[in-house]
């Protein structure tokens, strides 16, 4: 089987992963983006504009889409996070993966960590990329 050709979605997912890695997920804010959206009745407001970076970015929209995906199918969202290395620490905490770091791991290693076959891992990844 050949490698999939890189496309615009790959570039967006890479930007999202970098955003997550640099703290864009706002882990210390006390509430998830989904919780903020529920509290704001569909609108997300962030702080009082005290010099923080704008949160209405493509990366923030991807994060919101992945959180919505997680509500529908947690495995799909977890596979995407591990594959992109974006917010993978949440996956490891929720699933109780001790000393887990996906850096340098192969897909089969990540599939095993999630308790699924490589075939299922690849299927969930393809599903996530379609959404």
């Amino acid at each position: 089987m050949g490698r999939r050709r890189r496309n615009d979605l790959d570039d967006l997912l890479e930007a999202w992963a970098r955003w997550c890695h640099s703290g864009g997920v706002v882990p210390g804010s006390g509430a998830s983006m989904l919780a903020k959206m529920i509290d704001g009745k569909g609108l997300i407001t962030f702080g009082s504009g005290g010099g923080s970076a704008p949160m209405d970015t493509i990366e923030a929209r991807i994060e919101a889409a992945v959180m919505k995906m997680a509500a529908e199918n947690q495995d799909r969202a977890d596979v995407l996070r591990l594959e992109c290395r974006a917010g993978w620490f949440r996956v490891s905490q929720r699933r109780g993966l001790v000393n887990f770091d996906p850096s340098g791991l192969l897909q089969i290693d990540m599939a095993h960590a999630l308790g699924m076959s490589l075939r299922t891992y690849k299927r969930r990844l393809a599903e996530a990329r379609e959404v």
Side-chain angles (χ1 to χ4, degrees), residues 7 11 13-14 18 20 33 35 55 57 60 62 66-67 69-70 72 79 81 85 91 94 96 102 105 112 117 122 129:
N7 59 27
D11 294 335
L13 291 174
E14 184 175 333
R18 290 177 190 273
C20 287
M33 289 180 67
M55 295 303 292
T57 62
I62 291 171
V66 172
M67 292 178 81
M69 180 190 309
E72 297 167 3
V79 166
R81 284 192 182 282
R85 277 62 168 185
V91 176
R94 188 175 63 280
L105 293 181
H112 183 266
S117 69
K122 288 183 177 187
R129 291 179 60 82

Side-chain angles (χ1 to χ4, degrees), residues 85-129:
R85 277 62 168 185
W88 58 266
F89 48 89
R90 290 183 183 169
V91 176
S92 64
Q93 285 178 334
R94 188 175 63 280
R95 291 189 178 245
L97 304 174
V98 180
N99 297 325
F100 180 79
D101 184 354
S103 302
L105 293 181
L106 300 174
Q107 285 183 335
I108 193 159
D109 300 321
M110 291 185 285
H112 183 266
L114 294 176
M116 60 181 68
S117 69
L118 178 59
R119 183 175 179 178
T120 300
Y121 181 92
K122 288 183 177 187
R123 189 171 43 247
R124 296 293 175 261
L125 180 58
E127 291 169 359
R129 291 179 60 82

Side-chain angles (χ1 to χ4, degrees), residues 3 16-17 22 29 38 47 55 57-58 74 76 82 101 104 111:
R3 289 186 72 94
W16 168 61
S22 68
S29 64
I38 291 168
M55 295 303 292
T57 62
I58 188 68
Q74 189 67 60
R76 194 181 294 158
L82 292 186
D101 184 354

Side-chain angles (χ1 to χ4, degrees), residues 16 19-20 24-25 32-37 42 44 46 55-72 77 80-81 90 131:
W16 168 61
W19 179 79
C20 287
V25 181
S32 69
M33 289 180 67
L34 184 59
K36 287 182 182 197
M37 186 176 267
I44 300 177
F46 295 95
M55 295 303 292
D56 185 26
T57 62
I58 188 68
E59 295 87 353
R61 286 183 264 157
I62 291 171
E63 179 65 23
V66 172
M67 292 178 81
K68 181 180 176 187
M69 180 190 309
E72 297 167 3
L80 185 64
R81 284 192 182 282
R90 290 183 183 169
V131 176

